[in-house]
Amino acid sequence: MNKYIDVLIELAKSAEQVGDIPIGAIVVKNNEIIGEGFNNRIITNDPTGHAEVNAIKDACNKLGDWRLSDCDLYVTLEPCDMCMEIIQESRIQNVYYLLENKEKHKYKRTNVYILNDVDNYKEKYKEKLSNFFDKNLNR
């Protein structure tokens, strides 16, 4: 466990060195680190450049699969909502974090609306989505 924390702290330092919030994350499978990441939003101009996302991408590239169902994620700070969605989508089994993120809901400023008066588009898209899952569910 301590070896993971040491790696997390070093990754957090890397984020700080590039001017970002010092957060580090790793993905672990069978007690082996298979993915590493740190915050790099500022140097990449990418709002998704969170440590967790970068560690997940690294692990997926190494495994050659987007499903990380036998993996755990370790991170220095409790994941934000975006990262939790990505963690769930990648099928990560467990998440362990060092510190609670009391500020994680601070930036809720986006308004979200459903499109109305476009029923014909909704039906076409619904059919396309249904067809996709019918064709691809068993692969």
Side-chain angles (χ1 to χ4, degrees):
M1 178 70 73
N2 286 345
K3 69 178 180 177
Y4 298 156
I5 295 172
D6 290 338
V7 172
L8 290 174
I9 299 299
E10 286 304 311
L11 289 164
K13 286 180 188 176
S14 296
E16 187 174 26
Q17 288 171 351
V18 298
D20 216 320
I21 300 170
I23 300 174
I26 57 172
V27 176
V28 175
K29 180 176 182 162
N30 299 326
N31 297 317
E32 180 185 339
I33 296 172
I34 62 163
E36 296 184 354
F38 58 86
N39 274 17
N40 65 356
R41 297 168 304 164
I42 292 173
I43 62 169
T44 60
N45 293 315
D46 181 355
T48 67
H50 289 212
E52 300 94 327
V53 174
N54 292 329
I56 289 168
K57 286 179 178 180
D58 189 32
C60 290
N61 286 331
K62 286 180 181 159
L63 291 180
D65 193 352
W66 62 269
R67 294 173 196 89
L68 302 175
S69 52
D70 295 332
C71 300
D72 296 327
L73 181 113
Y74 292 79
V75 62
T76 53
L77 189 64
E78 180 184 9
C80 70
D81 293 340
M82 176 191 74
C83 290
M84 282 306 300
E85 286 294 324
I86 294 168
I87 290 163
Q88 291 170 355
E89 284 294 322
S90 65
R91 313 295 196 262
I92 286 178
Q93 201 166 44
N94 300 297
V95 176
Y96 303 96
Y97 57 89
L98 199 55
L99 291 178
E100 185 178 9
N101 185 356
K102 296 183 188 297
E103 301 289 318
K104 77 176 184 176
H105 299 293
K106 182 177 177 180
Y107 300 107
K108 297 261 182 190
R109 297 186 199 144
T110 303
N111 297 312
V112 179
Y113 304 99
I114 188 164
L115 294 169
N116 292 312
D117 301 324
V118 289
D119 288 341
N120 57 328
Y121 291 102
K122 288 181 182 183
E123 286 305 314
K124 287 179 185 176
Y125 178 66
K126 186 177 177 182
E127 183 179 337
K128 179 181 283 303
L129 200 58
S130 179
N131 288 340
F132 174 83
F133 283 110
D134 287 347
K135 290 178 187 173
N136 295 290
L137 201 56
N138 294 322
R139 57 178 188 149

